[in-house]
Amino acid sequence: MTADTEKMTPEQQALFDYLLRLGDNAVVLSHRLGEWCGHAPVLEEDIALINVALDLLGQARSIMTYAGEVEGAGHDEDALVYRRDGFDYRNVLLVEQPNEENFAVAIVRQFLFDAWHYELQTALLQSSDARLAAIAAKSVKEVTYHLRHSSEWMVRLGDGTAESHGRVQEALDDLWRFSGELFEADAVEERMAAAGIGPHPQSLYAAWSETVDRVLAEATLSRPEDGWMQSGGRNGRHGEHLGFILAEMQFLQRAYPDARW
Amino acid sequence: MYTQGLDVQKGDVSIPLEQGDSELERRFQAKIDADEKIEPKDWMPEGYRKTLVRQISQHAHSEVVGMLPEGNWITRAPSLRRKAALLAKIQDEAGHGLYLYSACETLNVSRQELVDQLLEGKAKYSSIFNYPSTTWADIGAIGWLVDGAAIMNQVPLQRCSYGPYSRAMIRICKEESFHQRQGYEIMLTLARGTAAQKRMAQDALNRWWWPSLMMFGPNDKDSPHSAQSMRWKIKRVSNDELRQKFVDVTVPQADFLGLTMPDPALRWNAGSGHYDFGEIDWEEFKQVLQGNGPCNRERMRDRNRAHERGRWVREAALAHAEKRRARAAAQTTAVAAE
Ligand SMILES: [Fe+2]
Ligand SMILES: [Fe+2]
């Protein structure tokens, strides 16, 4: 499936792209969380991770349904999620990073994302787009919980044992290079900001940075230096992991294209 | 059932099954006979306590191990709606596990001990979860048949004599029936779908039907602990009765799906008012219970691996909680000293 760009105005096209970015983040991160199911460090954490995965999936469904309407090409949530190839996926690189069966990676990835996602959803409450504002109204409550959950684990792991401290610091150092992409401005984001639909990405940085500093301080972790930041996911340039996520996720829809489930 | 392992541990001398006749025991049995609940603080015979611990912990382990075959399809669920429903179902099962471990803890065993028993291979869980989930239709079949069979057993256990277990069952049964309907709905969608989907549904039924019947445990004549468990009202309906009931309810559901039961001997018996069905492969059942099912090793390996990989996390959580406690205590002392 390719996005049918002819029929959309430039404004609609930008909104569509923007919605895909939001929706794809949620779909892909939810997928990564789902991989933990039955394998979490404690049963309570199986439940908590599924909770977050379910919230993100719910958000993705609302956003994708809306995206399909904006696009106007007759694609529903499943058509958009299950029939798009990797280079049409618009998620940030951070969320596609693999778990490596390492809880520290899952928590750091989640924390960096949640701290940003919370600011984003809070800003979207003021969106001039009523539909996005309504989705944010529901999401912001969920994301508040997600951020609390991942922050608490950052602190437990950072200020736990020497081993856990080392593991979580290592994951943080490793994933930090994906944090820059969250705040990058490009034509789509600029247009959204100008129309009052979404916040300017850089406007979220200060609050995000403050949350990160506060939690890392409590966790006795050190904030990595801002080195070269990886980016490209939001424009369809992904790493090697996304292809495998999609191969798994889209298998049934691709193998049985005429079936309904 | 989820606790079928109980019935086959013959010659187990760790559970004293003889009914004593002390005053305490007479009063205990009188209470049960009067359909009153036994609560954690009440006196109970050691055999009663041990049997319950086994039964409830096997049930808990089954909920937890049962997350694996279904979790196997989370990342491949064919639509966002199905994926959300499957995630929510597995989350329920994890909740059942927690809830049952807590019920067990009221009998003075820690969750840690119970989990260790599972990981060391000393405790049993339901044989059904040692079969692989190989297609999406298995998610339908598991909900329909496995949750369906679980409900069959657990509904009478809502009246179990032990209060915490009985209350756990009431809550769990509600969710299990939801799972069962959801599974059946997946099967219905497949059975009404394309030829390929229908084939997938039939294949899943073929593979899950017999193992589902095995969930009810051995025939009554081979089930040594049943009589005492019945007297204690820990078990309320016999294996064979429950199995028959399950067959009677399920066969018309399969007919409605337009699927064929993989049992040539299956036919309605107007005389008995029940379905007759073929002989279960008890050798297979025995082998699966002994650890030789298709996925026994994988399930145990997965549980052990998750436990090992999570060790440093649990240690960190404990260490952090301890630091907090120490800091709070130091603060209190400092304030008191001022
Ligand atoms: Fe359950
Ligand atoms: Fe269930």
Side-chain angles (χ1 to χ4, degrees):
Chain A
M1 194 211 84
T2 53
D4 188 349
T5 50
E6 276 84 38
K7 288 172 195 152
M8 285 187 275
T9 65
E11 288 74 23
Q12 286 171 325
Q13 178 67 53
L15 177 58
F16 178 63
D17 285 343
Y18 188 66
L19 291 170
L20 288 184
R21 289 176 180 184
L22 298 179
D24 290 345
N25 281 342
V27 166
V28 173
L29 187 51
S30 171
H31 182 99
R32 282 295 188 221
L33 288 165
E35 291 175 340
W36 278 98
C37 184
H39 306 276
V42 276
L43 206 43
E44 284 84 350
E45 210 40 41
D46 274 301
I47 294 176
L49 293 176
I50 296 177
N51 243 334
V52 179
L54 271 171
D55 286 344
L56 291 171
L57 202 57
Q59 294 171 16
R61 296 183 65 187
S62 310
I63 294 166
M64 289 304 186
T65 300
Y66 183 31
E69 291 167 21
V70 170
E71 186 197 19
H75 295 130
D76 63 9
E77 55 180 46
D78 289 331
L80 286 174
V81 170
Y82 290 91
R83 305 288 175 101
R84 247 180 324 137
D85 203 345
F87 50 47
D88 282 325
Y89 260 72
R90 296 285 179 259
N91 59 281
V92 291
L93 296 173
L94 175 66
V95 295
E96 70 193 52
Q97 298 312 307
N99 292 314
E100 318 270 9
E101 296 184 70
N102 182 350
F103 191 67
V105 168
I107 288 301
V108 170
R109 183 184 61 207
Q110 194 68 38
F111 170 66
L112 295 176
F113 181 81
D114 290 343
W116 168 79
H117 201 206
Y118 172 79
E119 301 306 332
L120 173 69
Q121 294 294 345
T122 306
L124 285 173
L125 291 172
Q126 314 300 328
S127 175
S128 63
D129 183 306
R131 188 80 170 265
L132 260 181
I135 294 171
K138 183 167 181 288
S139 306
V140 82
K141 290 182 203 126
E142 298 167 346
V143 176
T144 303
Y145 161 78
H146 302 171
L147 177 57
R148 196 173 66 208
H149 172 255
S150 56
S151 300
E152 282 172 2
W153 271 112
M154 287 296 287
V155 172
R156 268 186 217 116
L157 299 180
D159 187 23
T161 62
E163 182 185 8
S164 69
H165 180 90
R167 282 177 186 261
V168 75
Q169 183 69 56
E170 190 186 344
L172 184 63
D173 294 345
D174 187 44
L175 291 170
W176 191 254
R177 67 203 153 107
F178 300 110
S179 63
E181 191 181 10
L182 298 167
F183 306 100
E184 264 173 30
D186 66 359
V188 171
E189 307 277 340
E190 298 281 3
R191 198 185 271 268
M192 290 297 105
I197 293 173
H200 193 282
Q202 284 159 11
S203 72
L204 306 176
Y205 182 76
W208 176 84
S209 190
E210 203 179 300
T211 305
V212 168
D213 283 339
R214 179 172 46 77
V215 173
L216 293 190
E218 201 186 336
T220 68
L221 293 165
S222 29
R223 179 171 171 146
E225 291 295 322
D226 282 349
W228 178 254
M229 291 290 177
Q230 300 296 322
S231 84
R234 292 187 317 169
N235 293 307
R237 289 195 312 279
H238 297 276
E240 292 175 344
H241 306 297
L242 184 70
F244 290 95
I245 292 180
L246 297 184
E248 234 180 295
M249 184 163 72
Q250 299 179 337
F251 154 65
L252 282 167
Q253 291 260 355
R254 300 281 194 186
Y256 303 95
D258 52 343
R260 297 182 62 82
W261 304 91
Chain B
M1 192 35 49
Y2 278 10
T3 55
Q4 72 210 157
L6 274 187
D7 298 326
V8 290
Q9 285 160 343
K10 280 186 196 176
D12 183 343
V13 290
S14 72
I15 297 187
L17 288 177
E18 297 316 312
Q19 183 79 336
D21 58 355
S22 72
E23 182 51 30
L24 280 170
E25 277 166 2
R26 266 196 298 275
R27 250 189 279 159
F28 171 81
Q29 190 60 46
K31 214 166 166 185
I32 287 179
D33 293 343
D35 272 334
E36 282 172 45
K37 295 284 178 233
I38 305 299
E39 294 299 335
K41 289 203 172 98
D42 296 342
W43 183 88
M44 61 187 79
E46 191 51 16
Y48 178 84
R49 194 187 70 85
K50 281 193 168 163
T51 306
L52 271 173
V53 167
R54 277 224 179 141
Q55 180 163 334
I56 302 173
S57 64
Q58 285 186 12
H59 190 163
H61 299 328
S62 300
E63 301 282 359
V64 173
V65 178
M67 293 167 71
L68 297 171
E70 293 188 288
N72 184 36
W73 279 91
I74 284 180
T75 55
R76 291 176 292 170
S79 72
L80 296 181
R81 181 173 80 92
R82 293 292 185 203
K83 188 170 176 147
L86 181 57
L87 274 168
K89 182 196 191 251
I90 300 175
Q91 190 182 39
D92 285 348
E93 308 300 7
H96 297 169
L98 270 186
Y99 205 45
L100 288 162
Y101 282 129
S102 306
C104 234
E105 285 184 315
T106 65
L107 293 160
N108 300 326
V109 254
S110 70
R111 176 166 145 200
Q112 190 53 56
E113 276 174 77
L114 299 172
V115 170
D116 287 346
Q117 286 169 8
L118 174 70
L119 297 176
E120 287 160 17
K122 289 184 198 149
K124 298 252 182 276
Y125 55 89
S126 180
S127 60
I128 194 80
F129 300 119
N130 291 312
Y131 290 85
S133 65
T134 52
T135 74
W136 170 251
D138 290 23
I139 299 306
I142 291 173
W144 171 36
L145 301 173
V146 176
D147 287 81
I151 295 164
M152 220 33 104
N153 183 55
Q154 289 166 20
V155 163
L157 287 176
Q158 296 178 346
R159 296 181 293 118
C160 160
S161 62
Y162 188 57
Y165 192 34
S166 134
R167 289 188 288 273
M169 281 303 122
I170 292 171
R171 178 170 144 178
I172 288 173
C173 277
K174 279 190 203 134
E175 293 181 347
E176 301 295 13
S177 19
F178 184 71
H179 300 163
Q180 196 265 351
R181 282 200 300 275
Q182 203 166 267
Y184 190 70
E185 203 258 316
I186 291 176
M187 292 303 277
L188 192 61
T189 305
L190 296 174
R192 301 268 188 277
T194 64
Q197 284 175 303
K198 185 163 182 183
R199 183 173 158 232
M200 204 183 273
Q202 181 65 56
D203 168 69
L205 174 58
N206 293 348
R207 284 180 292 108
W208 289 93
W209 174 247
W210 289 106
S212 300
L213 294 187
M214 294 175 196
M215 285 176 69
F216 295 92
N219 288 135
D220 293 347
K221 61 176 167 45
D222 303 316
S223 182
H225 289 177
S226 280
Q228 178 60 281
S229 288
M230 292 276 205
R231 191 155 56 236
W232 278 337
K233 296 188 182 170
I234 289 174
K235 181 172 190 153
R236 307 228 40 169
V237 185
S238 82
N239 295 354
D240 286 334
E241 276 175 82
L242 287 169
R243 184 163 24 235
Q244 183 66 56
K245 209 171 157 198
F246 177 70
V247 172
D248 290 346
V249 167
T250 310
V251 172
Q253 293 173 347
D255 288 345
F256 185 77
L257 293 173
L259 300 179
T260 311
M261 285 293 192
D263 178 3
L266 186 81
R267 58 180 52 84
W268 176 250
N269 181 332
S272 68
H274 294 290
Y275 285 93
D276 293 336
F277 54 96
E279 186 65 21
I280 287 169
D281 182 347
W282 293 113
E283 183 56 27
E284 176 180 325
F285 176 65
K286 198 177 99 193
Q287 289 302 328
V288 177
L289 280 188
Q290 284 176 0
N292 298 320
C295 296
N296 291 62
R297 283 164 197 253
E298 284 84 348
R299 301 296 183 236
M300 288 315 293
R301 193 195 56 204
D302 272 15
R303 283 313 313 157
N304 273 294
R305 191 180 282 175
H307 193 75
E308 277 312 310
R309 295 246 153 96
R311 183 182 301 283
W312 68 271
V313 178
R314 295 189 301 275
E315 286 170 358
L318 281 176
H320 180 71
E322 190 44 53
K323 282 184 190 177
R324 288 217 134 147
R325 232 187 327 271
R327 275 177 218 146
Q331 208 159 36
T332 317
T333 319
V335 170
E338 272 170 25

